């Protein structure tokens, strides 16, 4: 059973709200009306992506018998907010800290890769749902809303996976690379291609290619 402290729940909620706002600003700039419209769908994508990413780390850590707890990084949140006004988000709001006297590179790598894998799986689920509802999105407002939510969910989760797999500093990618080069190449390759596709041709065109629309 996964247990949470009161401070951990507080930090997760704060990080979730601020990171959602950052992605909203990055997608709309200073247009407050557009931000108000896009924020709820973004919160679905970010909420699932961010929370389940961190829970992935926490679950695997506790599976190995370690205590793990998410802690907010205020400077990271501030930096994410600042970068969002330039059209991108440096998403480093905090991290799950695993408390252990000793940990092998393999265990550390397995704990670290859990988060990005969650994001990759979520992105593919969002893409699958987007593909399913797309044919009816032209005449159904509900289907169109679901498609928008899933498009943002795919984009955000693909980006979160690719970003966290960068072998920089204390990001997940550094620990995965130290554990297994092949697994790191495979996962960052998948996440990178998924991110590149939505950045270059867009989610709607990805869906149209899939269904041959």
């Amino acid at each position: 059973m996964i247990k949470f402290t009161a401070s951990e729940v507080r930090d997760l909620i704060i990080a979730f709200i601020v990171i959602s706002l950052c992605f909203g600003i990055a997608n709309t700039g200073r247009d407050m009306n557009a931000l108000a419209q896009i924020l709820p769908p973004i919160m679905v994508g970010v909420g699932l992506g961010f929370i389940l990413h961190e829970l992935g780390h926490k679950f695997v850590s506790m599976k190995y018998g370690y205590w793990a707890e998410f802690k907010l990084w205020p400077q990271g949140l501030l930096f994410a907010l600042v970068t969002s006004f330039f059209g991108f988000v440096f998403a480093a709001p905090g991290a799950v800290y695993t408390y252990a006297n000793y940990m092998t590179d393999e265990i550390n790598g397995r704990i670290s890769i859990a988060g990005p894998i969650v994001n990759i799986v979520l992105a593919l689920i969002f893409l699958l749902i987007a593909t399913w509802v797309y044919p009816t999105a032209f005449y159904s407002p509900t289907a169109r809303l679901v498609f928008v939510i899933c498009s943002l969910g795919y984009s955000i989760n693909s980006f979160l996976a690719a970003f966290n797999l960068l072998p920089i500093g204390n990001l997940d990618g550094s620990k995965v690379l130290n554990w297994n080069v092949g697994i790191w190449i495979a996962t960052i390759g998948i996440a990178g291609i998924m991110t590149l596709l939505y950045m270059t041709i867009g989610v709607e065109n990805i869906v149209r290619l899939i269904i041959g629309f």
Side-chain angles (χ1 to χ4, degrees):
M1 180 179 178
I2 300 180
K3 297 181 180 179
F4 298 90
T5 63
S7 61
E8 183 177 21
V9 173
R10 177 204 63 205
D11 285 0
L12 283 167
I13 292 173
I14 293 173
F16 160 62
I17 293 172
V18 176
I19 287 298
S20 297
L21 183 61
C22 289
F23 276 100
I25 293 171
N27 280 275
T28 62
R30 296 175 177 85
D31 187 337
M32 291 298 104
N33 289 328
L35 177 60
Q37 292 178 358
I38 201 174
L39 192 56
I42 279 182
M43 291 181 82
V44 174
V46 172
L48 287 173
F50 170 70
I51 298 296
L52 293 182
H53 175 106
E54 299 303 336
L55 288 182
H57 292 315
K58 186 178 178 78
F59 176 79
V60 177
S61 294
M62 299 186 80
K63 178 184 175 183
Y64 282 106
Y66 303 120
W67 173 253
E69 183 176 353
F70 177 82
K71 290 186 179 295
L72 197 67
W73 184 33
Q75 295 91 333
L77 275 184
L78 180 60
F79 191 56
L81 190 59
V82 170
T83 59
S84 68
F85 285 97
F86 294 92
F88 69 98
V89 180
F90 189 91
V96 168
Y97 289 85
T98 300
Y99 298 91
N101 292 326
Y102 173 75
M103 186 185 301
T104 64
D105 285 342
E106 179 179 357
I107 292 177
N108 198 15
R110 289 180 183 274
I111 292 171
S112 299
I113 203 172
I117 285 179
V118 166
N119 291 129
I120 290 172
V121 171
L122 278 175
L124 292 175
I125 291 173
F126 276 122
L127 183 62
L128 180 64
I129 297 172
T131 303
W132 177 55
V133 302
Y134 183 71
T136 60
F138 294 97
Y139 55 84
S140 169
T142 301
R144 187 64 189 175
L145 177 61
V146 172
F147 179 78
V148 170
I149 291 172
C150 290
S151 296
L152 289 167
Y154 171 83
S155 302
I156 291 169
N157 278 280
S158 297
F159 172 80
L160 287 174
F163 174 80
N164 280 284
L165 282 167
L166 293 174
I168 299 172
N170 203 37
L171 291 178
D172 297 326
S174 298
K175 302 161 193 174
V176 176
L177 183 60
N178 286 337
W179 162 46
N180 191 302
V181 176
I183 290 177
W184 176 78
I185 291 173
T187 50
I188 197 171
I190 292 170
I193 290 171
M194 291 168 65
T195 302
L196 184 63
L197 283 173
Y198 91 75
M199 285 184 169
T200 53
I201 67 174
V203 178
E204 185 169 356
N205 284 326
I206 297 173
V207 169
R208 291 171 71 93
L209 286 172
I210 292 173
I211 63 178
F213 200 86

